[in-house]
Every structure is written in C-alpha cells, then in structure tokens.
Amino acid sequence: MDMEKCSWEFNESVAKDFDNHVSASVPGYEWFHDYIVRLAEFYIEDDDAILDIGCSTGTLLRDIKCKLPNRDFYMYGVDKSEAMIDIAKSNVKDFKSNFFTGDILEFFNMTDPSAELSFITIVLTLQFLSYEDRLKVLKTCRSRLKDRGVVVVVEKIIQEDGHMQKMFDEIYQEMKFENGLSKDSLFNKTLSLRGKMKPLNSLENEELFYKSGFDYIPFMQIGCFKGWILRK
C-alpha cells in the first residue's frame, strides 16, 4: 500500500471543500451548528468578544454575526491550518474580527488575560489535543469568561459498552457512504488520523469539564457526537 496516498490533513484542498465534507461526515452537523448560533443570541451583548477555537472556515462565526446583525461585538478565530484561516478571513471580511493561525494556548499567551469573552465555541477540536492540553485549554477558557459567559463544546465520543460502540460505528460508516463519501477516502482519512484524534467517552469528557471548574449541561447527542454547555 502506498502510504502517501493515505495522507489526509487540513490543507488547501481539504479546506476548499471542508464545509460540504463535514456536513456529509458528521451526523446532525447542520442541526447543532444552527443550535449553537441560536444559543449565541442569549449570551452576546454589545461590546462583547467571542472566540471560536478550531474555527476552520469561519462559518460558525459568520452565521452568529448574521444572526445578530444589530449587536456590536468582536470575533476571534483560531485554527492551526493556514488554508482554513485564509477562507475564514474571507467569510467574515465585512465584520469586526481577528484570526490567529496556530495553537490555542499560543493565542491565549499572546492576548490580554484581562480581556473577557462572553461566548466560546470548541467544536470537534478538543479530540485532537492531549488530555493535559485539553485541561489547560478549558481552564484558560474559564479564566477568560465574563460572568454568565459560556463555553460550548461538541466532541466525537466513544462508548463504554463494546456492543454499542460497534453498532454506532456501523451506522456512522453507512451514513457516510450514503452521503456520497467513498470507501477509499474514508479509509485514507482513518489511517491519517490514527494516533491524532483521541476521543473520550461521555463520562471522561464530563470529568474533564469538572476538573476545569465548570458546571455542564448536555444539549445534544446524535450517535457518537455529543454537545455540552459549560458554565462557571
């Protein structure tokens, strides 16, 4: 097997089709994307700042601003992929925003620790970090939140029960095939993400939130994907 053909990363070619790809490969993605946009309306006020960690193409920030056109707030986006950030800048070019290419902990180190955020989103991102870095990121998010601000987290999760895990995996793969993703592309992506994506089970995620000082409320679960609202 030519392992070079199994390379899958967040490069320019992936970035260009990322929004279509994630909609086809993550069950309920459009639903929980829209739900997060609607949640934002309850937390963002004039003169606030918000942050999307792992912002990819910036569509979540764009859609939040489009939902709240009459509120004056600032948006930050962070992603390790320069190709993603280039598209994100284009998507929100008409709004007050700033983007950082690199690690979220680097971003926090470069910004004023007294600058508070009212709404932080971390969608399908923590699963790519080590457990220690997840803890650091969440603790820093908590320290940067204004009173009554929230962090919204969505993660791929694994099941504690082996039978349930197998069932969810089979349904998930079947769904992706039906959405037009090829077996070769899925296989290549699986190999490329081996050792990079390390999902936790639901209880492990919630223990992580607790260690970070958060109360949490689950707001969705669709198969092997789950979302929480984290509060101080």
Side-chain angles (χ1 to χ4, degrees), residues 15-196:
K16 286 180 179 178
D17 194 48
F18 179 78
D19 293 324
N20 290 330
H21 174 83
V22 74
S23 294
S25 62
V26 177
Y29 180 82
E30 293 180 356
W31 182 89
F32 68 71
H33 176 101
D34 181 65
Y35 197 90
I36 294 170
V37 170
R38 294 172 188 272
L39 280 174
E41 188 172 6
F42 291 86
Y43 294 100
I44 300 174
E45 301 175 349
D46 284 341
D47 301 320
D48 276 351
I50 69 173
L51 169 66
D52 187 12
I53 299 173
C55 66
S56 62
T57 60
T59 55
L60 183 57
L61 291 172
R62 179 199 65 196
D63 292 348
I64 288 172
K65 181 56 184 176
C66 289
K67 178 72 173 176
L68 304 171
N70 297 320
R71 295 189 197 176
D72 184 21
F73 58 94
Y74 204 87
M75 302 184 294
Y76 294 98
V78 179
D79 201 286
K80 284 190 172 183
S81 168
E82 186 174 355
M84 292 287 195
I85 290 294
D86 287 342
I87 295 176
K89 289 178 178 178
S90 177
N91 277 333
V92 299
K93 64 181 184 297
D94 297 326
F95 307 131
K96 293 166 63 176
S97 60
N98 193 15
F99 289 90
F100 177 78
T101 306
D103 184 271
I104 180 58
L105 293 173
E106 294 175 16
F107 169 81
F108 280 136
N109 287 334
M110 293 174 59
T111 53
D112 182 356
S114 66
E116 293 184 320
L117 300 158
S118 62
F119 196 71
I120 301 173
T121 51
I122 316 176
V123 178
L124 304 177
T125 299
L126 290 177
Q127 61 204 31
F128 292 102
L129 304 180
S130 69
Y131 188 90
E132 293 75 17
D133 281 349
R134 297 179 210 202
L135 192 59
K136 290 177 185 176
V137 168
L138 288 172
K139 284 183 175 181
T140 307
C141 285
R142 188 183 185 283
S143 72
R144 297 294 181 91
L145 274 182
K146 65 183 291 188
D147 290 342
R148 301 186 68 177
V150 295
V151 179
V152 181
V153 175
V154 178
E155 284 284 281
K156 184 177 183 180
I157 61 172
I158 56 175
Q159 304 300 313
E160 297 178 65
D161 181 277
H163 172 72
M164 294 296 291
Q165 181 65 43
K166 183 174 183 296
M167 181 181 71
F168 279 7
D169 280 345
E170 290 183 7
I171 293 172
Y172 182 38
Q173 295 302 319
E174 182 179 37
M175 182 215 72
K176 289 189 286 187
F177 295 149
E178 291 176 353
N179 285 343
L181 300 176
S182 71
K183 292 182 179 180
D184 284 346
S185 68
L186 293 174
F187 180 69
N188 291 346
K189 181 179 179 182
T190 298
L191 288 182
S192 293
L193 294 180
R194 183 179 290 172
K196 298 178 182 178

Side-chain angles (χ1 to χ4, degrees), residues 43 142 145 149-151 213-217 229-232:
Y43 294 100
R142 188 183 185 283
L145 274 182
V150 295
V151 179
F214 284 109
D215 291 328
Y216 55 85
I217 301 172
I229 300 169
L230 312 186
R231 305 180 299 183
K232 282 187 173 182

